[in-house]
Amino acid sequence: MNVRLVMFTQNGERRDFEIHEGKTTIGRNGECGIQIKLGVVSRRHCQVIVRKDKVKVRDLGSSNGTFVNNRRIQEVTIGAGETLTVGPVIFTVVIDDMPAEIKTVRTIVEPKRAKKAAGAGGEKSQESGELAAEESGGFELVIEHDEEEEEEEEEAVDGHNPLAELAEISKQHGKVR
């Protein structure tokens, strides 16, 4: 069985990740088969398990959850054409080249502008690294900020550009089609 996870960058570039027989871990940790270096993704977020004629996804106790077809899961069998969402990354499952046509579902990270927080002195505005993920169950995701990324691009939020980081990760780990 030939299994791939396909995702699209914000620019619409397709990235394919081959999933081999056995277990493939997705997470932030460098030892994961598919690494997503974003703070909203747990170190060991989930596993994709390929056995003979079945493909399963198992959440590994992630903080923000693992979603299949926009529903939070613990463990589920998945089929061709279904979506797997890990943090802001949306993968389409391709099994034995099916589906032949894949709808482009772009991975988009949109920062919220400001958030009000009550303090001892009253209300104050804070810049936030929180992201809205409406398509993934309406939860908010938080991206950790690295000081090393401060010089990346003009559109960076608080000196951190998760889109540039995600594009670099996908280039390192996937094939462009």
Side-chain angles (χ1 to χ4, degrees):
M1 177 184 310
N2 178 12
V3 180
R4 288 179 285 135
L5 297 181
V6 177
M7 58 88 60
F8 293 88
T9 65
Q10 182 153 341
N11 298 331
E13 259 185 283
R14 178 177 165 155
R15 306 272 188 225
D16 287 44
F17 299 87
E18 291 286 330
I19 306 296
H20 302 286
E21 180 97 11
K23 297 177 182 178
T24 300
T25 304
I26 300 173
R28 200 174 66 229
N29 188 309
E31 295 176 8
C32 291
I34 298 176
Q35 185 181 21
I36 304 172
K37 292 182 183 180
L38 295 174
V40 298
V41 176
S42 295
R43 286 179 190 96
R44 291 177 31 89
H45 198 96
C46 66
Q47 284 183 330
V48 178
I49 304 153
V50 178
R51 299 261 190 258
K52 296 181 184 177
D53 61 344
K54 284 188 180 180
V55 181
K56 287 187 174 187
V57 175
R58 177 185 300 145
D59 184 81
L60 297 175
S62 65
S63 299
N64 292 314
T66 300
F67 295 78
V68 172
N69 299 327
N70 295 326
R71 293 182 186 206
R72 191 171 188 154
I73 60 97
Q74 290 304 310
E75 184 170 321
V76 69
T77 299
I78 57 173
E82 294 190 277
T83 59
L84 168 62
T85 305
V86 178
V89 182
I90 303 168
F91 297 100
T92 299
V93 179
V94 176
I95 300 173
D96 294 330
D97 297 322
M98 294 302 292
E101 294 293 318
I102 298 174
K103 178 182 174 188
T104 302
V105 180
R106 295 179 184 186
T107 297
I108 298 177
V109 179
E110 294 182 11
K112 285 185 175 181
R113 292 295 163 216
K115 185 174 182 171
K116 296 280 184 181
E123 297 277 322
K124 68 178 184 178
S125 178
Q126 297 177 335
E127 279 302 308
S128 172
E130 291 183 356
L131 308 175
E134 309 266 277
E135 293 92 15
S136 300
F139 59 94
E140 292 184 334
L141 307 171
V142 179
I143 289 185
E144 295 174 357
H145 300 284
D146 290 335
E147 292 181 26
E148 298 173 2
E149 299 293 328
E150 289 184 12
E151 300 173 9
E152 271 295 321
E153 291 184 13
E154 298 174 328
E155 297 177 14
V157 176
D158 293 339
H160 182 76
N161 190 332
L163 295 177
E165 191 172 300
L166 183 58
E168 181 61 31
I169 292 164
S170 63
K171 283 180 187 175
Q172 291 173 4
H173 295 284
K175 295 187 293 188
V176 178
R177 278 190 157 195

